Every structure is written in C-alpha cells, then in structure tokens.
Amino acid sequence: MILSETVEAKAKLDPENFSLANCIRALSIDAVEAANSGHPGAPMGMADAAAVLFRKHLKFDASQPDWPDRDRFVLSNGHASMLLYSLLHLTGYEAMTQEQLRNFRQWGSITAGHPEYGHTPGVETTTGPLGQGFAGAVGMAIAERRLASEFGDDLVDHHTYVFLGDGCLQEGIGQEAASLAGHLGLGKLIVLYDDNEITIDGPTSVSFSEDVLGRFTSCGWHVHRCDGHDPVAIDMAIQAAKAETDKPSIISLKTVIGFGSPNRAGSASSHGSPLGTEEAALAKTALGWSAEPFVIPPSLRQQWLDIGKRGSEARTQWESRLACRPEDVATEFNRRLKAELPQEYATALKLARHALFQQPKKIATRKASQLALEALAPALPELIGGSADLTGSNLTRVNAVDSQYTKERPGRYIGYGVREFGMAAAMNGLSVHGGFIPYGGTFLVFSDYARNAIRLSALMGIGTIYVMTHDSIGLGEDGPTHQPVEHLASLRAMPNLHTFRPADAVEALECWDIAIRSRTTPSLMALSRQDVPQLRTEVTDENLSARGAYIIRQCGQHRDLTLLATGTEVALAVEAAAALQAQGVGVTVVSMPCWDLFEQQPKAYRDEILGKAPRIAVEAAGKFGWTRYVASEEDVIGMNGFGASAPADILYQKFNITGEAIIARAKALLTN
C-alpha cells in the first residue's frame, strides 16, 4: 500500500527519525493488541517527539537507570504507558525485555497499565491520575535546583522533561503546577504538550476551548508551538527551551492521535482501546512497517541501543568529577542520595527528648511539632519544608529551614501558595528525585484537596511528610467548614500511610522521628490547635509511639476498664481514669498515636495492650473505624455529625466529648 499523503510527507521530513518513531508505534500497537486493552493513540501520536527527545537531547544511560545526574523523563499522561515501555525496551533497559512487552497489563509483569514507580526501572514517578506527573515534575525541578545550589552544577545539572496531554491541563492540579513552576522560575523544566484536540468524549471542543499557551505565558513560562510530526521543528523547539534558563518551557505539539491508522487516526476511537487486528495491520502498512509483532529490524534495534548508550560517557565523566571532590563532600552527597541519616541526627533526637523530660511543655501539638523540627532540622540538611499559605498556623517554619525558595535563590522553605494538591504532588517529586525529605503543611480538613497525591505517595512507597494541623473541632470558631470529622477514618483506611495523632510534646517528637526514618512509607501528622499537657514525664529513650499504641497510664492495681484515645483526647481520658479510680474502678489508658503501626505489632503485644476488660474509645472525630477496637459505636465518645462555630471548650461540652460522658459510659458498661 502506498503511504497516505500526510504520512508520506511527514516521513520525508526526517526519514531516520520517522523509522525510529515507527518502532515505538509498532510496539505500542502490538502490546495493546496482545493485551486486548490499553491506549495506542497517544504513543502513536507522540512517537516522533519521543524519538527526537531520546535521540538528541535526553541525558541518560540505559545501563545505569538510577544515575543521579540523569535527565528525568515524566510521562504525565500515563495512559500512554506503552510509549515509555517501548522506549525503555528499545534503548536497552535490562529489565524491559520483549517478554515484558508481550505481557503488557498482565499479572506479574512490570508493564502495568499506567507507569509505576519502584515497579519498573526507568519510571521516574507513578502517573495515571492526570496532572500529577506534571506536578511531580515540578517537584523534581525544585529538587534539582536546590541540590545544585548545595553541591554545585558540576555534580547536579539536569533537565526534567514532561509529556502531557489535554487531560493534565484540564485538571486543576495542572494549573497549580504551572503557576508554581512559573513563579519559581524553574528553567530546567520542559513540557511537551500533546495537543491532539481529542479527549475520551470526542473533540476537545466539547469541553476545552482556552488559549493554553496564553495561560502559560501569563504564568511566566516560555512558550512555543510547532508541528508534532516535524522532527526538525521539534528539535529546534527543545533547543530553544534548553536555552531559556530563567523560565520553564512548554512546547505545544500539534499531533494526530493514532497517527498512521487509516480509519481511526484523529478520532477518540484510537484513544483507549485496541485498534483491532484489521486496523492494526492497515496502520502498519500505512507506516511502511512489515516486521513481525514485537520484532524490531536489526539496524533500527542497533540505532536505538546506541541511543541508550550515548550517555555513558557523560555518566563516567560525572563519576570522575564526584571522585575528585573532597572526601567529606562526596560522602555527604552519596549519603543524601542513599537516604541515610547523618550521625548527628541521633544526638539531636536524644537531646530533644531529654529537654522535654527536663522541662515538660503544655502546648498545642502543632507547637510541639515545631519544637521537634527546631531540634531535628539542623542535623538534617535534606529536610526541605513548606506550607500551603498557612505557615503561621501550621508552624512549619523553623530557623534551620528559614531560607525562602525563590526564583533568585533556592532556599529550604517553599511557599506553595493556596495549592494543597500541587504542594503534595510536588513533594512527591522531591521525594522520588532523591536527596530530600520534604514536608509541607495545611489544615487537616484540606487533606481532601491533597488526598490523591497522598495516595500516590503511599502507592509509590516514598517518605513524603504531610503536616496537617487544626485536627478536630478543637480548632473552634472557624466552624464546621474547617473542622475535620471523617478525615482520620478516611486516611487510616489508606494502605501504607502512617497517620499520626500525637497526644503531647513527647509523642509529637517520637512521631517526627518515625516519619523521618520511614523512607518507604509517607507520614501524616494530625496536630492540634489547642494546648495539651505533657503526659509523658518518665525519662526513657524508647520510642513508645513506634508501636502504634501503648499503655500511658495505669490507674489502680487491676484493669476493670480500658480507655483508648488519640491526640488531645488522651489527656481527657487520663482525667476520666483518675476520677473512675477514685470511685474504685481500675482503668488502663492506652494512647494510640498510629493505628497502622499498632496493627503491625505481634498479636501477643496487641492483646496485652487492649486487654480483656470492656473498652471505650475517645476521639473528637467521626466514630467510624473504632469498632475494630471496641464492641460498638456506643462505646465511642466522638462525633456523630459535623461541628459548629464556637470556642473549643464549648464545642466539647455541646458535642458531649467530656470526662463526664466517659464516666457515664463506663458505668453503663460495668453494670451490664
């Protein structure tokens, strides 16, 4: 079959690039057909741009996927995963075999439906939920610039490239990411926009008619537009973007989704389903491709393998530069990239613990969190903080991280603005880049905005730290819009997330210690606005919070009743226990700062802590979930609905979260 006029014309622009791009198209078609599932359209449409980027610009070495100074490539439109898997296979990533491509989307393969970090070498971050790859790439660019300022651009000098589509830009997080990147002047962030004018519902005109490049211009970006099937134009656009050092760049590539498919190119029908046997054959013929499925002609295979090796010289030169650095600098750089804690950290932690025991604090746990940061941050140069425009409320800024991250100077504190989702996703990018432990603050109620990024950090197994203050009705007068009720239960339901609700200053420090050490599990701190007494006064170096729950008070010689509580309500439970003891009731009070850590303990320990006596749970939040520890929701002193606007002490009285309520329920249980 003679090539169509459009395809033939594009092929003549750069025949070599066209042939290399066809390798991507063919493998993508084959894998989607074999799986009978997937998205062939975007890989077919963006193959030309991918070939230009990997062939001429991307700094990487396929034999060393984790080389620290490699360029990062993020496929934000993760449904186009076969584009990335094809590139990894073609350039010689050892793990990405032909067998893996044949098992696309199948059990046990590393070729999941959407790219998964830690699952597949060469995948820089998990993508799929649209826009998060883009926002994560912003975090990677933030990390590159900060790390370069610390160690020099002879060790840290790389770009972050992003492929994204209309969906990433329609999601609100896309605007958050664009605005933040422009504000910070992240000149080494380069976005290639697959402007194919197609969404799942049909043409983008159904729902999307804005001037995208005008929007990015207003956010402080360098913008460019070109034919997405013209390799020469794409190359020139990337060169211009790399030359623009003060602004991030976006290149709008006018592409045809499903490029090469005679009957489905340019339509939504090529987006999310296989082309079908007949159309796949027609597409390959139109593209001039005659090889068997999953087979790459030897000459093209060698060209791609050579592309994968091209960065080896740059890598070895980089290794030589690192080796020539003073031993202490090289050691520190490697420590940071390996996520190992410095020796000074243990000393700082011990001093902070002893200071609390020497001088107990009656403070809000958000303030206790700040004290922990003040003590630990000087020993952790990798700690990089920020807040979503709530620094004075979250208390996330301390002396050691007091330098503001700006366009002119990449400090250790990032003003994320009112962008909770963008902040959380950018912190994930900082985490996966390496060299940093990012933390960022907002109110717990706004974890809803950030939730999908929190979920991705849990899914990826990375140690992002979320500082969430104003954790209950105890925040008071701001009212029910700002008072979290269902949030703790929702967050505790998420796999691989440490949800901490510390009871006092000692637990707050312990929870920070756990979070800092947890490099494969994210942590979320639920912290109070109101003051609480320090309940832990006995000197010990053991981190009791690391067990998730422990006995904090034993009132009486025997156990007639167990009170389970978290956060500010632990003090309330202790008061009620003392009152019950005066009435002859033996009460054990258990503080439960982290449920999932408690569930990880041996059964014998859990049985010992929970005991066999009747139990009551106390928490100024929704009751849902507590019945795993108590017999009935009637045994939970908590919230049945939303809060209200009033001073905190009034709210606790009105919603019956009081010592009197605990005592009344205890008597009802003990007399039955």
Side-chain angles (χ1 to χ4, degrees), residues 112-427:
H114 293 82
E116 295 184 20
Y117 173 80
H119 189 65
T120 309
V123 172
E124 301 287 2
T125 185
T126 297
T127 57
L130 292 175
Q132 285 202 61
F134 177 25
V138 172
M140 294 178 197
I142 290 172
E144 190 275 343
R145 193 157 162 251
R146 172 63 195 174
L147 207 61
S149 74
E150 294 184 72
F151 293 96
D153 58 11
D154 59 329
L155 289 184
V156 185
D157 182 15
H158 52 266
H159 286 81
T160 301
Y161 293 95
V162 184
F163 276 15
L164 54 70
D166 293 300
C168 294
L169 299 181
Q170 290 179 45
E171 291 283 1
I173 191 174
Q175 175 59 25
E176 292 183 29
S179 179
L180 181 61
H183 173 72
L184 296 179
L186 301 177
K188 289 185 178 177
L189 176 64
I190 299 174
V191 171
L192 287 83
Y193 164 36
D194 181 15
D195 184 10
N196 60 37
E197 299 186 8
I198 293 295
T199 65
I200 294 174
D201 281 354
T204 52
S205 59
V206 170
S207 58
F208 194 53
S209 55
E210 67 193 53
D211 178 358
V212 170
L213 294 191
R215 169 154 63 100
F216 275 77
T217 298
S218 72
C219 289
W221 284 60
H222 165 77
V223 303
H224 194 94
R225 191 190 310 272
C226 70
D227 182 343
H229 301 292
D230 183 341
V232 176
I234 296 167
D235 180 31
M236 291 177 63
I238 296 175
Q239 289 184 48
K242 290 165 71 174
E244 180 58 72
T245 58
D246 296 328
K247 295 180 179 181
S249 297
I250 182 170
I251 304 166
S252 178
L253 302 173
K254 186 59 68 176
T255 61
V256 177
I257 191 171
F259 181 85
S261 173
N263 300 302
R264 299 178 70 173
S267 70
S269 63
S270 68
H271 169 79
S273 59
L275 297 180
T277 303
E278 182 178 347
E279 186 66 17
L282 290 173
K284 288 183 177 182
T285 301
L287 293 166
W289 189 267
S290 57
E292 292 296 312
F294 295 102
V295 174
I296 303 298
S299 62
L300 292 175
R301 178 68 174 148
Q302 190 57 53
Q303 282 183 267
W304 270 115
L305 290 174
D306 290 342
I307 291 170
K309 297 173 183 176
R310 192 188 66 242
S312 61
E313 183 178 353
R315 176 182 57 79
T316 55
Q317 290 175 352
W318 178 87
E319 290 172 345
S320 297
R321 293 195 298 274
L322 178 62
C324 290
R325 283 296 198 95
E327 184 178 356
D328 60 334
V329 175
T331 299
E332 175 65 7
F333 182 82
N334 287 324
R335 180 194 72 79
R336 292 275 295 272
L337 271 296
K338 292 177 182 177
E340 298 172 346
L341 292 178
Q343 293 180 350
E344 298 81 1
Y345 175 75
T347 301
L349 176 66
K350 187 171 184 178
L351 289 173
R353 287 183 68 88
H354 286 196
L356 289 174
F357 292 131
Q358 289 169 7
Q359 190 174 356
K361 308 286 186 183
K362 182 179 181 180
I363 51 177
T365 55
R366 62 169 175 165
K367 181 63 179 178
S369 167
Q370 186 182 45
L371 290 180
L373 281 170
E374 286 280 15
L376 302 178
L380 293 168
E382 57 265 51
L383 207 60
I384 185 166
S387 174
D389 201 49
L390 286 168
T391 295
S393 293
N394 301 148
L395 304 183
T396 42
R397 191 163 193 154
V398 296
N399 289 332
V401 295
D402 197 36
S403 54
Q404 190 74 27
Y405 196 114
T406 65
K407 185 180 295 187
E408 295 74 27
R409 181 184 174 214
R412 284 180 67 182
Y413 195 83
I414 302 165
Y416 287 106
V418 189
R419 306 183 185 99
E420 295 88 357
F421 194 0
M423 174 183 72
M427 289 197 296

